[in-house]
Amino acid sequence: MWKLKVAEGHGPWRYSLNNFVGRQIWEFDPEAGTPEEREEVRKVQENFTTNRFRYKPNGDLLMRMQLIKENQIDLSIPPVRLGENEVTWEAVTTAVRKSVRLNTAIQAKDGHWPTENAGPLFFTPPLIMVLYFTGTLNIALTPEHKVELLRYITNHQNEDGGWGFHIEGHSTMLGTTLSYISMRILGVGPDDKAVAAGRKWILDCGGATYSPSWGKCFFSVFGLYEWSGCNPLPPEFWFFPSFLPMHPDKMWCYCRTIYMPMSYLYGTRFQAPITDLVQQLKEEMHTEPYHEIHWAKARLLCAKEDYYYPHSLIQDVLWGGLYHFGEPILRHWPVSKIRERAVKKAIDIIHWEDENSRYITQGCVEKAFHMMAVWAENPDSNSNAFKHHLARIPDYLWMAEDGMKVQSFGSQLWDTSLCIQAILESGMVEEYGTTLKKGHDYVKLSQCQENPSGDYRSRYRHFSKGAWTFSDRDHGWQVSDCTSEALRVLLLLSQFPEELVGEKAEPQRLFDAVNFLFSLQSQTMAPFFCNFPMGKSGGVAVWEPAGAEEWLEKLNPSELFANIVTEHEYVECTSSAIQTLLLFKKLYPNHRRKEVDNFIEKATRYVENVQRSDGSWYGGWGVCFTYAAWFALSGLAAVGKTYSNSKTQKANGGWGESYLSCPDMVYVHLDGDRTNLVQTAWCLMGLIEAGQVERDPTPLHKAAKLLINSQLDNGDFPQEEITGVYMNNCMLHYASYRNIFPTWALGMYRRRVLKPLQKL
């Protein structure tokens, strides 16, 4: 039986800054569990497979079942069911208490809330592929791992035989080819029904040569494709001088950390040994004999199903010039000496990034590419660097009823910060002080207390001291909204007795966080002493300062994503910072007061300026206009502005927005006029913040009633459609959102809508 282990990290090839607080890994224990528990696991797995085309995201039930048993929290409060009756104080109080208890029951021993953060179907296969060609598949993965990885892949195969870019998406060449290769590596034969259906989809859509550029890179390393069929990825780029408009320092960090190992692999033309399986895959996945493929033509091919962001004319001209004229020069002596130095610089930075993330790297795609690059430099599984990488693979694997998958890395800090605020909003702090104290400790222990090592600016990195990551401290990559939410948690909890919620954070730690937030706001003018590019909007970026020229997005090398070349500001990050700094100003009125006021003023103006003519905001990190509206309205309400728009509310009181709003960039309703409980919670909170209770509380009562009637017997809420996104086109499954946001919304409704009405 699979068991979740938290804050453990034994072994010589693993190290930590805070004793592995926040680490969450799954291990198989053949002796674990009673016969009844094993049967319960089998049933939820079977139920997911039976209903996999109705709701694609899993409910993260295995984690919940384990932690509920371990924490021994009483979840037997009878549920509330409202008929035609109005919502009452007693009913909503019961629903909130049930929900808070459920959240308490699924908290880990180190104080964080474990959960899945996955969804994209290109996350898992690259790791399987690199383990295969490095000969470490059976070292890193047990037979039980392989069974569950196959369960996940087959559960998310579409009815047409293909696999999507993400679990809710239409079939794509990238998702299908990667999933097909993974199934074959994991031992499934070519005549298997699922494999045969996948192969038919691939061949019907033109074969593997129609993969987008990321797929072509993966396949070139794997031996299923040739580097001469790829657009150039010259590592000489890392030598560009900083005065040029296109420079590594001006790139979005994920673009930089993915294309750096890509450029190393391209520059060295690394290709893994051609095994019998790879030879079979060449025959199975291409529509013509491998030796007859015209690689120069294949370079330009991409399946229409994958082509979200078409290349611009200037980009096609650039790639063509590099391919036909630049590469022949760069690969031959004496100019080839520059390439030798360029790949050396790339691999040196890769090693530095590995060490500064404790070999976690920035995310799962980077993890696979870094392992490929490290192996290409030194193909030895006994090298120290590769052993460090292998030791951190379990950190990426997550197990749920739909099987095992590679997740982004983890959302431990993000979910913990949100869950603490949801519990605080319930008004039941004295009942759940122990839960809050544990969460408080986790947040304090997870703050970055140092910058990346050495001369981090020469490696294109921003400072991280005072910030929080998306996951845990060992990860090391600073994030603005995670910092805002974590800082707000510390500020909120500092107003309660220490004997109830734990010791307050040191003021200097709070000041460091504020300093980090200041660094990510785009200014109206870049001061002469600033070493970072800055835009003009007053908005807040995510990882590093924004400000590079917008036209650089025309050079986007990926067909799959939008807005990946440079860092951008986001309404969610900006609003989060507004709310936090207003609270900070209240509690620390004398700390950099003028700078805080200026920050809030500029950030507020940004939120107002990016509002669309129909009153909506586009969301960059959640689905989509609904998510952004909650953040924007909360930020504007915090500075005394109100706004109302509930025109998308359904007859049953809920809201339901399709993930298609994100790539299409227009509001798209869920099919069948369905509603989504997480989105309903966002809208309910946004309207409360915007003063809807004073105008007409009816929409609020209807939304609260839907949430209450949807609550499950144990206090949880049903898992519905996917609600997370990044870079417009790729969806993320935040499995904890369904227990966090309805809790938060009902608590806010109880405190700010019903309580004032009771007094009347």
Side-chain angles (χ1 to χ4, degrees), residues 17-33:
L17 295 173
N18 63 353
N19 201 26
F20 301 100
V21 169
R23 189 169 190 247
Q24 46 186 29
I25 63 169
W26 288 89
E27 290 185 1
F28 185 80
D29 182 355
E31 305 299 323

Side-chain angles (χ1 to χ4, degrees), residues 123 254 257-258 357 360-370 396 406-410 475 477:
F123 278 7
Y254 272 93
T257 57
I258 287 174
S357 66
I360 294 168
T361 75
Q362 193 174 11
C364 60
V365 177
E366 291 86 345
K367 176 71 172 177
F369 271 127
H370 277 219
Y396 277 99
V406 171
Q407 55 176 354
S408 63
F409 171 57
H475 181 253
W477 273 89

